[in-house]
Amino acid sequence: MKNNIKLNPLVESAMFAALAVIVIIATTYLPAFYFIGIIVLPLPFAFVYIKHNFKYAALALATAILISIPFGDLFTAISLGLTYGIVGIVMVYCFKNDESVLNTIIFMAVVVFLSTILVYKISVLITGKDVLQVTAKEISNIIQKYKGVYESHGASSSKINTLLDENNMVYIMKMIMPGTTFVFSIVSTYFSYRFSTSIFKKFNYT
């Protein structure tokens, strides 16, 4: 009887981990699904935590990440799984400690914000490539391609050359990155919170 009691949480944890794997893979390979994916992804881990405990939620998270790795990009699987898995766990932790809706969303957003910045820093260290530099180069190439069109519409060469300065673009991106990342964190976690709580209510977990 004791073994049966222990088996049930393990089976459910495995099921939710499998669901998370599907979401991670879909989010990785379907760009159009990305925003939906990050809204849904915290839910499986939150469900395990709210129904059982932190240990099973952490187990589901580790399992989901390990299974996701062979199906996609190692770095993406780990960053998505860890970030939004922790978001789900933090959300339920706040529920269990009677935190307000505002505080819960803020705590969730802080996790996303810090994880995003950390992932960016780690990606630069691991790959040796700055994603902002790569993006700036692509934008510069596009502007260069249509330089003649801009000039024909009255844009001065000096202004165009300023736009073509990749270092200037990277500087601007780095200036706005914290703000845009924070706004994204708030928006994504707000929708994730609303989605998760609506599901919890259907199962009488709130």
Side-chain angles (χ1 to χ4, degrees):
M1 181 66 70
K2 196 172 183 179
N3 289 335
N4 289 335
I5 294 173
K6 288 185 177 180
L7 180 63
N8 190 40
L10 285 173
V11 171
E12 285 194 316
S13 298
M15 290 172 60
F16 282 113
L19 176 61
V21 169
I22 294 171
V23 177
I24 290 172
I25 294 172
T27 304
T28 302
Y29 288 104
L30 302 173
F33 185 77
Y34 183 82
F35 192 71
I36 297 174
I38 62 175
I39 290 173
V40 174
L41 192 51
L43 183 60
F45 310 108
F47 234 117
V48 175
Y49 188 11
I50 203 169
K51 192 171 183 183
H52 301 295
N53 56 43
F54 173 79
K55 180 179 70 174
Y56 289 107
L59 179 63
L61 176 56
T63 303
I65 292 173
L66 288 173
I67 295 175
S68 299
I69 290 172
F71 293 97
D73 176 69
L74 169 67
F75 191 74
T76 303
I78 293 175
S79 61
L80 276 175
L82 272 180
T83 300
Y84 294 98
I86 293 173
V87 165
I89 291 171
V90 167
M91 176 169 54
V92 176
Y93 177 84
C94 291
F95 287 164
K96 289 178 178 287
N97 288 275
D98 297 320
E99 292 288 348
S100 66
V101 173
L102 179 61
N103 284 346
T104 301
I105 292 174
I106 288 174
F107 290 144
M108 292 166 66
V110 167
V111 171
V112 175
F113 177 79
L114 294 178
S115 296
T116 302
I117 299 298
L118 185 61
V119 165
Y120 165 69
K121 295 290 186 182
I122 293 175
S123 69
V124 173
L125 290 174
I126 293 176
T127 64
K129 295 180 180 178
D130 188 335
V131 67
L132 297 182
Q133 192 75 50
V134 173
T135 303
K137 188 174 183 63
E138 291 176 354
I139 294 173
S140 179
N141 289 337
I142 293 171
I143 295 173
Q144 184 71 52
K145 184 178 179 181
Y146 293 99
K147 184 177 180 181
V149 177
Y150 298 140
E151 288 178 334
S152 67
H153 283 78
S156 66
S157 296
S158 61
K159 288 183 179 179
I160 294 174
N161 289 332
T162 300
L163 290 173
L164 290 171
D165 187 344
E166 293 175 17
N167 291 328
N168 189 44
M169 286 187 203
V170 171
Y171 174 76
I172 293 171
M173 288 179 184
K174 286 184 176 179
M175 288 289 290
I176 66 174
M177 184 180 178
T180 53
T181 301
F182 185 72
V183 171
F184 171 79
S185 301
I186 291 288
V187 172
S188 63
T189 52
Y190 171 80
F191 283 108
S192 184
Y193 176 87
R194 289 302 181 190
F195 173 74
S196 297
T197 51
S198 68
I199 300 297
F200 291 154
K201 285 177 182 177
K202 290 182 179 179
F203 289 90
N204 297 318
Y205 287 135
T206 57

